[in-house]
Amino acid sequence: MKTVMIAEDNDSNYMLMTYILKHNYSVVRARNGQEAIDMAEKGGVDLILMDLKMPVCDGLEATCRIKSMMPDIPIVMLTANAFDTDRRKAMDVGCDEFLSKPVNREKCLSVIARFI
Ligand SMILES: [Mg+2]
């Protein structure tokens, strides 16, 4: 089973994502951007679902740093703000796809399946 990292500071959002993914993927959690960077460095993660707004280090900075170390790991940015500027920023730092919250189950699974 492939492993998806959920980088999410909010417990409810994390539980919802876990519920969506649990039958298809093994899930690990990072609670902020720095934890996401540290966990990605350790390896064993096949794809990252990255919340945009997180403490310590936000999703944009974490994506930028992870992609500079490992450009091939797919990163899907999750954000409550569906504005074009957010999407552009996310793409600029190297994220591969973009999902708006609240996350739709089928959409989420189909996006992940495109990469892993
Ligand atoms: Mg957040």
Side-chain angles (χ1 to χ4, degrees):
M1 196 179 263
K2 300 271 190 184
T3 298
V4 173
M5 182 205 299
I6 302 173
E8 172 62 74
D9 59 313
N10 180 283
D11 289 340
S12 304
N13 290 340
Y14 168 72
M15 285 169 71
L16 172 64
M17 295 308 300
T18 301
Y19 184 75
I20 290 173
L21 299 177
K22 65 180 179 184
H23 297 298
N24 303 72
Y25 301 101
S26 170
V27 168
V28 292
R29 182 186 189 185
R31 289 172 182 272
N32 60 59
Q34 186 59 53
E35 278 191 21
I37 294 164
D38 295 342
M39 287 176 68
E41 267 183 314
K42 282 189 192 140
V45 173
D46 298 296
L47 179 143
I48 301 171
L49 293 173
M50 183 78 79
D51 182 29
L52 180 65
K53 287 191 168 54
M54 288 188 290
V56 187
C57 164
D58 71 17
L60 292 173
E61 189 183 345
T63 297
C64 194
R65 286 168 59 188
I66 291 168
K67 282 289 188 177
S68 72
M69 296 184 292
M70 42 194 98
D72 294 335
I73 190 163
I75 299 180
V76 178
M77 192 74 76
L78 302 176
T79 178
N81 299 322
F83 298 121
D84 281 351
T85 49
D86 281 347
R87 189 181 182 120
R88 199 172 307 118
K89 277 186 208 159
M91 294 301 180
D92 282 349
V93 296
C95 95
D96 298 276
E97 193 47 271
F98 183 90
L99 284 172
S100 301
K101 291 181 183 175
V103 173
N104 172 279
R105 182 178 184 276
E106 279 67 37
K107 180 96 194 284
C108 181
L109 291 173
S110 77
V111 164
I112 293 172
R114 289 216 314 267
F115 296 104
I116 60 175

PDB file of all heavy atoms in Angstrom, residues 31-55:
ATOM      1  N   ARG A  31       2.053  17.818  11.435  1.00  0.00           N
ATOM      2  CA  ARG A  31       1.178  18.840  12.029  1.00  0.00           C
ATOM      3  C   ARG A  31       1.536  20.262  11.627  1.00  0.00           C
ATOM      4  O   ARG A  31       0.832  21.212  11.950  1.00  0.00           O
ATOM      5  CB  ARG A  31       1.208  18.721  13.554  1.00  0.00           C
ATOM      6  CG  ARG A  31       0.504  17.481  14.051  1.00  0.00           C
ATOM      7  CD  ARG A  31       0.720  17.292  15.550  1.00  0.00           C
ATOM      8  NE  ARG A  31       0.079  16.059  15.993  1.00  0.00           N
ATOM      9  CZ  ARG A  31      -1.180  15.977  16.392  1.00  0.00           C
ATOM     10  NH1 ARG A  31      -1.942  17.050  16.411  1.00  0.00           N
ATOM     11  NH2 ARG A  31      -1.682  14.824  16.772  1.00  0.00           N
ATOM     12  N   ASN A  32       2.643  20.410  10.960  1.00  0.00           N
ATOM     13  CA  ASN A  32       3.018  21.740  10.441  1.00  0.00           C
ATOM     14  C   ASN A  32       4.023  21.547   9.303  1.00  0.00           C
ATOM     15  O   ASN A  32       4.443  20.419   9.016  1.00  0.00           O
ATOM     16  CB  ASN A  32       3.588  22.629  11.561  1.00  0.00           C
ATOM     17  CG  ASN A  32       4.829  22.046  12.201  1.00  0.00           C
ATOM     18  OD1 ASN A  32       5.831  21.819  11.512  1.00  0.00           O
ATOM     19  ND2 ASN A  32       4.787  21.803  13.496  1.00  0.00           N
ATOM     20  N   GLY A  33       4.391  22.647   8.673  1.00  0.00           N
ATOM     21  CA  GLY A  33       5.269  22.556   7.510  1.00  0.00           C
ATOM     22  C   GLY A  33       6.647  22.001   7.820  1.00  0.00           C
ATOM     23  O   GLY A  33       7.217  21.263   7.015  1.00  0.00           O
ATOM     24  N   GLN A  34       7.163  22.341   8.998  1.00  0.00           N
ATOM     25  CA  GLN A  34       8.490  21.833   9.351  1.00  0.00           C
ATOM     26  C   GLN A  34       8.474  20.324   9.545  1.00  0.00           C
ATOM     27  O   GLN A  34       9.379  19.618   9.083  1.00  0.00           O
ATOM     28  CB  GLN A  34       9.009  22.526  10.626  1.00  0.00           C
ATOM     29  CG  GLN A  34      10.447  22.158  10.993  1.00  0.00           C
ATOM     30  CD  GLN A  34      11.436  22.511   9.888  1.00  0.00           C
ATOM     31  OE1 GLN A  34      11.476  23.642   9.412  1.00  0.00           O
ATOM     32  NE2 GLN A  34      12.227  21.529   9.442  1.00  0.00           N
ATOM     33  N   GLU A  35       7.414  19.824  10.201  1.00  0.00           N
ATOM     34  CA  GLU A  35       7.282  18.368  10.352  1.00  0.00           C
ATOM     35  C   GLU A  35       7.164  17.691   8.991  1.00  0.00           C
ATOM     36  O   GLU A  35       7.702  16.598   8.780  1.00  0.00           O
ATOM     37  CB  GLU A  35       6.043  18.027  11.190  1.00  0.00           C
ATOM     38  CG  GLU A  35       6.271  18.118  12.687  1.00  0.00           C
ATOM     39  CD  GLU A  35       5.121  17.531  13.509  1.00  0.00           C
ATOM     40  OE1 GLU A  35       4.325  16.707  12.983  1.00  0.00           O
ATOM     41  OE2 GLU A  35       5.022  17.919  14.666  1.00  0.00           O
ATOM     42  N   ALA A  36       6.469  18.344   8.066  1.00  0.00           N
ATOM     43  CA  ALA A  36       6.330  17.781   6.716  1.00  0.00           C
ATOM     44  C   ALA A  36       7.692  17.657   6.036  1.00  0.00           C
ATOM     45  O   ALA A  36       7.998  16.635   5.410  1.00  0.00           O
ATOM     46  CB  ALA A  36       5.392  18.654   5.876  1.00  0.00           C
ATOM     47  N   ILE A  37       8.515  18.688   6.181  1.00  0.00           N
ATOM     48  CA  ILE A  37       9.855  18.667   5.595  1.00  0.00           C
ATOM     49  C   ILE A  37      10.681  17.537   6.218  1.00  0.00           C
ATOM     50  O   ILE A  37      11.320  16.752   5.509  1.00  0.00           O
ATOM     51  CB  ILE A  37      10.561  20.025   5.810  1.00  0.00           C
ATOM     52  CG1 ILE A  37       9.842  21.129   5.026  1.00  0.00           C
ATOM     53  CG2 ILE A  37      12.032  19.946   5.405  1.00  0.00           C
ATOM     54  CD1 ILE A  37      10.208  22.537   5.478  1.00  0.00           C
ATOM     55  N   ASP A  38      10.654  17.457   7.546  1.00  0.00           N
ATOM     56  CA  ASP A  38      11.435  16.430   8.256  1.00  0.00           C
ATOM     57  C   ASP A  38      10.992  15.021   7.868  1.00  0.00           C
ATOM     58  O   ASP A  38      11.824  14.138   7.634  1.00  0.00           O
ATOM     59  CB  ASP A  38      11.303  16.611   9.772  1.00  0.00           C
ATOM     60  CG  ASP A  38      11.912  17.928  10.259  1.00  0.00           C
ATOM     61  OD1 ASP A  38      12.717  18.526   9.504  1.00  0.00           O
ATOM     62  OD2 ASP A  38      11.571  18.350  11.381  1.00  0.00           O
ATOM     63  N   MET A  39       9.665  14.806   7.774  1.00  0.00           N
ATOM     64  CA  MET A  39       9.157  13.472   7.432  1.00  0.00           C
ATOM     65  C   MET A  39       9.473  13.114   5.981  1.00  0.00           C
ATOM     66  O   MET A  39       9.792  11.969   5.678  1.00  0.00           O
ATOM     67  CB  MET A  39       7.646  13.409   7.663  1.00  0.00           C
ATOM     68  CG  MET A  39       7.288  13.383   9.145  1.00  0.00           C
ATOM     69  SD  MET A  39       5.495  13.423   9.415  1.00  0.00           S
ATOM     70  CE  MET A  39       5.042  11.822   8.774  1.00  0.00           C
ATOM     71  N   ALA A  40       9.394  14.107   5.091  1.00  0.00           N
ATOM     72  CA  ALA A  40       9.706  13.856   3.684  1.00  0.00           C
ATOM     73  C   ALA A  40      11.171  13.449   3.534  1.00  0.00           C
ATOM     74  O   ALA A  40      11.502  12.533   2.775  1.00  0.00           O
ATOM     75  CB  ALA A  40       9.400  15.089   2.841  1.00  0.00           C
ATOM     76  N   GLU A  41      12.037  14.117   4.300  1.00  0.00           N
ATOM     77  CA  GLU A  41      13.473  13.820   4.253  1.00  0.00           C
ATOM     78  C   GLU A  41      13.770  12.390   4.672  1.00  0.00           C
ATOM     79  O   GLU A  41      14.681  11.758   4.149  1.00  0.00           O
ATOM     80  CB  GLU A  41      14.228  14.775   5.185  1.00  0.00           C
ATOM     81  CG  GLU A  41      14.752  16.013   4.494  1.00  0.00           C
ATOM     82  CD  GLU A  41      15.559  16.889   5.444  1.00  0.00           C
ATOM     83  OE1 GLU A  41      15.085  17.127   6.581  1.00  0.00           O
ATOM     84  OE2 GLU A  41      16.651  17.331   5.045  1.00  0.00           O
ATOM     85  N   LYS A  42      13.009  11.895   5.657  1.00  0.00           N
ATOM     86  CA  LYS A  42      13.225  10.529   6.155  1.00  0.00           C
ATOM     87  C   LYS A  42      12.850   9.488   5.110  1.00  0.00           C
ATOM     88  O   LYS A  42      13.325   8.356   5.145  1.00  0.00           O
ATOM     89  CB  LYS A  42      12.400  10.287   7.426  1.00  0.00           C
ATOM     90  CG  LYS A  42      13.028  10.919   8.652  1.00  0.00           C
ATOM     91  CD  LYS A  42      12.286  10.471   9.910  1.00  0.00           C
ATOM     92  CE  LYS A  42      12.715  11.313  11.109  1.00  0.00           C
ATOM     93  NZ  LYS A  42      11.583  11.657  11.981  1.00  0.00           N
ATOM     94  N   GLY A  43      11.957   9.845   4.179  1.00  0.00           N
ATOM     95  CA  GLY A  43      11.589   8.940   3.101  1.00  0.00           C
ATOM     96  C   GLY A  43      10.386   8.072   3.439  1.00  0.00           C
ATOM     97  O   GLY A  43       9.818   8.160   4.527  1.00  0.00           O
ATOM     98  N   GLY A  44       9.969   7.240   2.473  1.00  0.00           N
ATOM     99  CA  GLY A  44       8.850   6.338   2.679  1.00  0.00           C
ATOM    100  C   GLY A  44       7.498   6.952   2.373  1.00  0.00           C
ATOM    101  O   GLY A  44       6.463   6.307   2.553  1.00  0.00           O
ATOM    102  N   VAL A  45       7.485   8.195   1.908  1.00  0.00           N
ATOM    103  CA  VAL A  45       6.228   8.860   1.565  1.00  0.00           C
ATOM    104  C   VAL A  45       6.109   8.931   0.042  1.00  0.00           C
ATOM    105  O   VAL A  45       7.037   9.335  -0.644  1.00  0.00           O
ATOM    106  CB  VAL A  45       6.174  10.282   2.175  1.00  0.00           C
ATOM    107  CG1 VAL A  45       4.953  11.041   1.675  1.00  0.00           C
ATOM    108  CG2 VAL A  45       6.164  10.209   3.696  1.00  0.00           C
ATOM    109  N   ASP A  46       4.946   8.525  -0.491  1.00  0.00           N
ATOM    110  CA  ASP A  46       4.758   8.493  -1.945  1.00  0.00           C
ATOM    111  C   ASP A  46       4.099   9.743  -2.499  1.00  0.00           C
ATOM    112  O   ASP A  46       4.272  10.072  -3.671  1.00  0.00           O
ATOM    113  CB  ASP A  46       3.916   7.269  -2.319  1.00  0.00           C
ATOM    114  CG  ASP A  46       4.624   5.978  -1.934  1.00  0.00           C
ATOM    115  OD1 ASP A  46       5.691   5.713  -2.507  1.00  0.00           O
ATOM    116  OD2 ASP A  46       4.136   5.265  -1.042  1.00  0.00           O
ATOM    117  N   LEU A  47       3.314  10.430  -1.670  1.00  0.00           N
ATOM    118  CA  LEU A  47       2.620  11.653  -2.099  1.00  0.00           C
ATOM    119  C   LEU A  47       2.302  12.476  -0.851  1.00  0.00           C
ATOM    120  O   LEU A  47       2.104  11.920   0.223  1.00  0.00           O
ATOM    121  CB  LEU A  47       1.337  11.294  -2.846  1.00  0.00           C
ATOM    122  CG  LEU A  47       0.453  12.446  -3.364  1.00  0.00           C
ATOM    123  CD1 LEU A  47      -0.159  12.077  -4.733  1.00  0.00           C
ATOM    124  CD2 LEU A  47      -0.681  12.785  -2.393  1.00  0.00           C
ATOM    125  N   ILE A  48       2.266  13.795  -1.015  1.00  0.00           N
ATOM    126  CA  ILE A  48       1.956  14.672   0.116  1.00  0.00           C
ATOM    127  C   ILE A  48       0.717  15.504  -0.193  1.00  0.00           C
ATOM    128  O   ILE A  48       0.629  16.145  -1.244  1.00  0.00           O
ATOM    129  CB  ILE A  48       3.133  15.630   0.422  1.00  0.00           C
ATOM    130  CG1 ILE A  48       4.403  14.826   0.735  1.00  0.00           C
ATOM    131  CG2 ILE A  48       2.790  16.559   1.599  1.00  0.00           C
ATOM    132  CD1 ILE A  48       5.667  15.679   0.844  1.00  0.00           C
ATOM    133  N   LEU A  49      -0.244  15.466   0.737  1.00  0.00           N
ATOM    134  CA  LEU A  49      -1.372  16.407   0.712  1.00  0.00           C
ATOM    135  C   LEU A  49      -0.991  17.531   1.664  1.00  0.00           C
ATOM    136  O   LEU A  49      -0.827  17.301   2.861  1.00  0.00           O
ATOM    137  CB  LEU A  49      -2.662  15.722   1.167  1.00  0.00           C
ATOM    138  CG  LEU A  49      -3.224  14.640   0.247  1.00  0.00           C
ATOM    139  CD1 LEU A  49      -4.404  13.945   0.912  1.00  0.00           C
ATOM    140  CD2 LEU A  49      -3.652  15.228  -1.095  1.00  0.00           C
ATOM    141  N   MET A  50      -0.830  18.726   1.141  1.00  0.00           N
ATOM    142  CA  MET A  50      -0.230  19.830   1.898  1.00  0.00           C
ATOM    143  C   MET A  50      -1.237  20.947   2.139  1.00  0.00           C
ATOM    144  O   MET A  50      -1.683  21.604   1.197  1.00  0.00           O
ATOM    145  CB  MET A  50       0.956  20.363   1.078  1.00  0.00           C
ATOM    146  CG  MET A  50       1.756  21.461   1.744  1.00  0.00           C
ATOM    147  SD  MET A  50       2.883  20.839   3.003  1.00  0.00           S
ATOM    148  CE  MET A  50       4.226  20.243   1.962  1.00  0.00           C
ATOM    149  N   ASP A  51      -1.571  21.146   3.421  1.00  0.00           N
ATOM    150  CA  ASP A  51      -2.424  22.284   3.768  1.00  0.00           C
ATOM    151  C   ASP A  51      -1.628  23.568   3.514  1.00  0.00           C
ATOM    152  O   ASP A  51      -0.417  23.612   3.729  1.00  0.00           O
ATOM    153  CB  ASP A  51      -2.820  22.166   5.249  1.00  0.00           C
ATOM    154  CG  ASP A  51      -3.744  23.276   5.715  1.00  0.00           C
ATOM    155  OD1 ASP A  51      -4.518  23.798   4.889  1.00  0.00           O
ATOM    156  OD2 ASP A  51      -3.687  23.613   6.910  1.00  0.00           O
ATOM    157  N   LEU A  52      -2.312  24.598   3.049  1.00  0.00           N
ATOM    158  CA  LEU A  52      -1.618  25.858   2.771  1.00  0.00           C
ATOM    159  C   LEU A  52      -1.272  26.596   4.061  1.00  0.00           C
ATOM    160  O   LEU A  52      -0.126  26.977   4.295  1.00  0.00           O
ATOM    161  CB  LEU A  52      -2.491  26.739   1.869  1.00  0.00           C
ATOM    162  CG  LEU A  52      -1.919  28.101   1.467  1.00  0.00           C
ATOM    163  CD1 LEU A  52      -0.683  27.954   0.602  1.00  0.00           C
ATOM    164  CD2 LEU A  52      -2.970  28.924   0.743  1.00  0.00           C
ATOM    165  N   LYS A  53      -2.283  26.769   4.921  1.00  0.00           N
ATOM    166  CA  LYS A  53      -2.056  27.552   6.145  1.00  0.00           C
ATOM    167  C   LYS A  53      -1.752  26.639   7.329  1.00  0.00           C
ATOM    168  O   LYS A  53      -2.624  25.920   7.810  1.00  0.00           O
ATOM    169  CB  LYS A  53      -3.305  28.394   6.438  1.00  0.00           C
ATOM    170  CG  LYS A  53      -3.457  29.567   5.477  1.00  0.00           C
ATOM    171  CD  LYS A  53      -4.532  30.512   5.945  1.00  0.00           C
ATOM    172  CE  LYS A  53      -4.530  31.828   5.190  1.00  0.00           C
ATOM    173  NZ  LYS A  53      -4.593  31.683   3.729  1.00  0.00           N
ATOM    174  N   MET A  54      -0.491  26.662   7.748  1.00  0.00           N
ATOM    175  CA  MET A  54      -0.050  25.872   8.903  1.00  0.00           C
ATOM    176  C   MET A  54       0.941  26.699   9.709  1.00  0.00           C
ATOM    177  O   MET A  54       1.608  27.586   9.164  1.00  0.00           O
ATOM    178  CB  MET A  54       0.651  24.589   8.426  1.00  0.00           C
ATOM    179  CG  MET A  54      -0.279  23.558   7.827  1.00  0.00           C
ATOM    180  SD  MET A  54       0.570  22.003   7.505  1.00  0.00           S
ATOM    181  CE  MET A  54       1.625  22.478   6.128  1.00  0.00           C
ATOM    182  N   PRO A  55       1.040  26.401  11.030  1.00  0.00           N
ATOM    183  CA  PRO A  55       2.008  27.125  11.856  1.00  0.00           C
ATOM    184  C   PRO A  55       3.451  26.688  11.570  1.00  0.00           C
ATOM    185  O   PRO A  55       3.663  25.697  10.878  1.00  0.00           O
ATOM    186  CB  PRO A  55       1.604  26.754  13.281  1.00  0.00           C
ATOM    187  CG  PRO A  55       0.896  25.452  13.164  1.00  0.00           C
ATOM    188  CD  PRO A  55       0.239  25.446  11.813  1.00  0.00           C
TER     189      PRO A  55
END
